[in-house]
């Protein structure tokens, strides 16, 4: 072996051992993070995350040790460039593993903050309820939430690719901190992002895009401009349908809070963006809401939005596009609400969301009853409770300040009850004779206006 090769071998062996030392310091979150029990992740989420990270560390550990063995054996005769080439690949993989750790750490570390941790745990419960649909056509993945800066929420869906490979064991919802100022924004962001996950599990976007083409394409197979835009916007439109189905007008009011931007952004059309531009997005929500939850409030909301952003001043070409989109909106809404995915004819939005239980009248009735008996909202399915509070605020029955306080109380209550239910379930598994009393709580399916979960059941998915 030449002197240069020997020096390179010692250098790279030392670097590989340094990576092993750093890797050994990456400990499971269960022994790193301190938090209130009620702020913790659900067992399914924590186990899934830890297993994913352990698998990555174990695989990298094995590759690093194999590299050291290679350096001491056949690699001792290799050129310095060959040694470096193999080490560089390992270093890339090392950074990928740390990147996955950092991704999940951001969602977990915030739970050590007393108030924020409880909010996040309660948001996990609400998100799980938003993902629950009747008859369980899919196994819902765990959902974990965290706060971040910026105006918009986002989701990394479960089973999507992680940095460096592998798939995420959980759905991660990023909620902007400014969305915590009231119930409108928080609930709308949660349900919209969870809607992306639900739509992916049910394959709604490609199914609806196929239905749209079948309905609107001409003989040459081309779509008129409004329908071509609807086709491109379908991922976001479906998520909006999900949110409106779960929350009613609260979803659209929360959306308005996000997209109330300077006028030039509200009317700006980007043909490559999957998000409808703000002006038409609200009007699409109005058309969808009128079909799912019929009430005069939707037309009033559409008129209000148009008064906030009048079309005066838009050039003739732009006004013609707005008019064509607005004219096609009711037909698009009818397609969305009546659509049956191929092979799942039972899964219409009406079946998925049970809109009769979330009609404006029923929601106001629930809120009024809860003014006399506050526990009714505590026991209601989380999205139903959030929808009732939002509807009450739209009706002028609830102030923004009172809504914010009530939402915070619900988040804390959901966090506590889900933790007690999980603890009780674990106690029953470890000792059948032990049956601790746990609070009665709402079933996360959203079925029934005041449906209550019996003591024998628990939220297995947090």
């Amino acid at each position: 072996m030449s002197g240069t090769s020997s020096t390179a071998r010692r250098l790279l062996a030392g670097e590989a051992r340094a990576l092993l030392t750093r890797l050994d310091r990456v400990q499971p979150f269960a022994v790193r993070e301190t938090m209130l029990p009620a702020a913790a992740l659900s067992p399914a989420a924590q186990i899934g995350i830890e297993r994913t990270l352990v698998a990555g560390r174990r695989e990298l550990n094995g590759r690093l040790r194999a590299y050291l063995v290679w350096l001491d054996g056949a690699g001792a005769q290799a050129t310095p460039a060959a040694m470096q080439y193999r080490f560089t690949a390992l270093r890339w993989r090392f950074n990928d593993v740390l990147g996955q750790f950092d991704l999940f750490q951001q969602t977990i570390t915030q739970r050590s903050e007393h108030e924020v941790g409880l909010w996040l745990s309660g948001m996990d419960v609400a998100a799980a309820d938003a993902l629950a649909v009747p008859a369980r056509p899919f196994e819902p993945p765990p959902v974990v939430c965290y706060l971040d800066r910026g105006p918009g929420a986002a989701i990394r869906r479960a089973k999507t690719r992680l940095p460096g490979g592998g798939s995420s064991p959980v759905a991660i919802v990023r909620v902007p901190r400014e969305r915590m100022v009231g119930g409108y924004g928080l609930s709308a962001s949660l349900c919209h992002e969870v809607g992306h996950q639900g739509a992916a599990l049910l394959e709604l976007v490609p199914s609806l895009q196929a239905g749209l083409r079948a309905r609107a394409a001409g003989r040459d197979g081309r779509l008129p401009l409004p329908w071509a835009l609807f086709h491109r916007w379908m991922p976001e439109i479906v998520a909006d349908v999900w949110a409106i189905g779960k929350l009613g007008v609260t979803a659209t009011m929360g959306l308005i809070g996000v997209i109330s931007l300077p006028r030039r952004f509200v009317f700006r059309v980007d043909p490559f963006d999957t998000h409808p531009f703000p002006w038409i997005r609200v009007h699409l929500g109005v058309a969808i809401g009128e079909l799912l939850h019929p009430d005069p409030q939707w037309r009033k909301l559409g008129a209000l939005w148009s008064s906030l952003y009048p079309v005066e001043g838009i050039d003739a070409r732009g006004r013609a596009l707005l008019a064509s989109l607005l004219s096609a909106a009711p037909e698009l809404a009818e397609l969305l609400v009546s659509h049956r995915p191929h092979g799942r004819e039972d899964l219409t939005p009406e079946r998925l969301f049970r809109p009769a239980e979330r009609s404006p009248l029923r929601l106001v009735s629930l809120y009024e009853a809860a003014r006399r008996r506050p526990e009714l909202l505590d026991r209601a399915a989380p999205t139903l409770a959030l929808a009732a509070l939002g509807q009450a605020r739209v009706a002028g029955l609830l102030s923004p300040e009172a809504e914010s306080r009530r939402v915070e109380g619900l988040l804390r209550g959901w966090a506590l009850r889900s933790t007690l239910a999980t603890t009780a379930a674990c106690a029953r598994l470890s000792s059948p004779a032990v049956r601790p009393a746990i609070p009665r709580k709402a079933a996360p399916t959203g079925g029934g206006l005041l449906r209550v979960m019996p003591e024998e059941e628990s939220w297995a998915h947090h």
Side-chain angles (χ1 to χ4, degrees):
M1 180 188 301
S2 69
T4 301
S5 294
S6 178
T7 301
R9 176 174 166 276
R10 287 195 302 271
L11 170 67
L12 294 174
E15 290 297 307
R17 288 163 60 190
L19 294 185
L20 280 171
T21 300
R22 176 66 183 91
L23 193 64
D24 288 341
R25 290 178 180 171
V26 179
Q27 298 297 315
F29 289 115
V31 299
R32 286 176 55 91
E33 302 292 346
T34 59
M35 64 189 72
L36 296 172
L41 296 173
S42 69
Q46 184 160 350
I47 291 170
I49 291 172
E50 296 289 13
R51 283 178 175 170
T52 298
L53 296 180
V54 165
R57 294 198 300 272
R58 183 181 294 123
E59 178 260 345
L60 179 57
N61 187 291
R63 290 177 62 179
L64 284 167
R65 294 188 183 280
Y67 176 71
L68 290 172
V69 171
W70 177 78
L71 284 178
D72 284 335
Q77 305 303 319
T79 65
M83 297 178 191
Q84 176 69 7
Y85 176 81
R86 291 197 178 203
F87 176 77
T88 301
L90 289 174
R91 188 171 182 83
W92 273 104
R93 179 58 182 151
F94 173 81
N95 288 328
D96 287 338
V97 170
L98 289 189
Q100 292 180 4
F101 178 84
D102 291 339
L103 170 68
F104 292 115
Q105 184 178 39
Q106 190 172 12
T107 70
I108 294 174
T109 300
Q110 291 180 354
R111 293 166 188 262
S112 299
E113 303 175 42
H114 178 72
E115 290 294 338
V116 171
L118 291 177
W119 292 344
L120 293 175
S121 184
M123 288 158 59
D124 293 348
V125 177
D129 179 57
L131 189 54
V133 296
R136 293 178 67 89
F138 53 76
E139 186 62 33
V143 184
V144 297
C145 302
Y146 76 102
L147 301 181
D148 204 354
R149 65 178 184 270
I155 185 171
R156 179 185 289 273
R157 300 194 311 272
K159 303 187 185 303
T160 54
R161 190 176 186 274
L162 290 171
S167 60
S168 177
V170 300
I172 305 174
V173 177
R174 184 188 72 203
V175 179
R177 290 184 182 274
E178 63 96 9
R179 299 267 83 187
M180 299 302 295
V181 300
Y184 276 168
L186 173 61
S187 52
S189 291
L190 273 181
C191 288
H192 174 86
E193 299 307 330
V194 168
H196 284 295
Q197 179 70 74
L201 291 169
L202 295 172
E203 299 180 337
L204 288 178
V205 172
S207 177
L208 277 162
Q209 287 176 328
L212 183 150
R213 288 192 298 270
R215 174 177 293 217
R219 292 184 177 180
D220 59 357
R222 299 181 63 180
L223 290 168
L225 180 57
W227 292 90
L229 290 171
F230 293 156
H231 186 278
R232 180 160 190 83
W233 297 334
M234 191 58 72
E236 296 300 323
I237 291 174
V238 171
D240 282 347
V241 171
W242 198 283
I244 294 169
K246 290 287 185 176
L247 297 172
V249 75
T250 300
T252 307
M253 293 301 298
L255 173 66
I256 288 174
V258 175
I259 61 177
S260 291
L261 301 168
R263 181 179 173 86
R264 65 181 182 276
F265 296 109
V266 171
F267 287 101
R268 189 171 72 180
V269 182
D270 181 351
F272 301 105
D273 192 354
T274 58
H275 295 76
F277 62 95
W279 189 86
I280 194 60
R281 188 171 178 182
V282 171
H283 284 295
L284 291 177
V286 166
I288 294 163
E290 283 188 306
L291 287 183
L292 279 178
H293 311 287
D295 190 269
Q297 68 179 352
W298 293 102
R299 290 191 179 275
K300 294 178 181 178
L301 180 57
L304 172 62
W305 180 246
S306 292
S307 70
L308 295 175
Y309 294 98
V311 299
E312 285 77 10
I314 305 294
D315 62 39
R317 184 178 178 183
R319 293 180 70 167
L321 175 61
L322 297 180
S324 64
L325 288 168
L326 202 57
S327 176
E331 188 176 354
L332 173 68
E334 193 276 329
L335 169 67
L336 295 167
V337 172
S338 63
H339 180 70
R340 288 174 168 78
H342 179 68
R344 296 306 305 264
E345 285 70 19
D346 58 323
L347 290 181
T348 63
E350 288 202 12
R351 178 76 182 277
L352 288 174
F353 307 125
R354 296 178 177 175
E357 299 174 358
R358 285 164 167 76
S359 69
L361 180 60
R362 295 285 293 276
L363 293 176
V364 169
S365 297
L366 172 58
Y367 172 74
E368 293 285 10
R371 294 175 70 174
R372 300 184 296 273
R373 297 176 56 198
E375 70 274 10
L376 294 181
L377 275 188
D378 298 331
R379 294 176 177 177
T383 54
L384 181 61
L386 292 171
L389 291 176
Q391 185 67 60
R393 184 173 163 190
V394 169
L397 303 174
L398 182 66
S399 69
E401 297 83 0
E403 180 198 30
S404 184
R405 290 192 298 269
R406 194 68 175 95
V407 169
E408 181 180 354
L410 287 173
L411 292 175
R412 293 169 63 91
W414 295 333
L416 176 60
R417 283 194 294 277
S418 66
T419 300
L420 294 178
T422 299
T423 302
C426 293
R428 288 198 297 272
L429 287 174
S430 61
S431 177
V434 177
R435 294 185 59 82
I438 61 174
R440 294 166 66 81
K441 54 191 267 189
T445 60
L449 185 62
L450 299 177
R451 183 173 178 181
V452 174
M453 179 176 280
E455 292 181 359
E456 288 74 14
E457 300 179 21
S458 65
W459 286 359
H461 54 280
H462 196 92

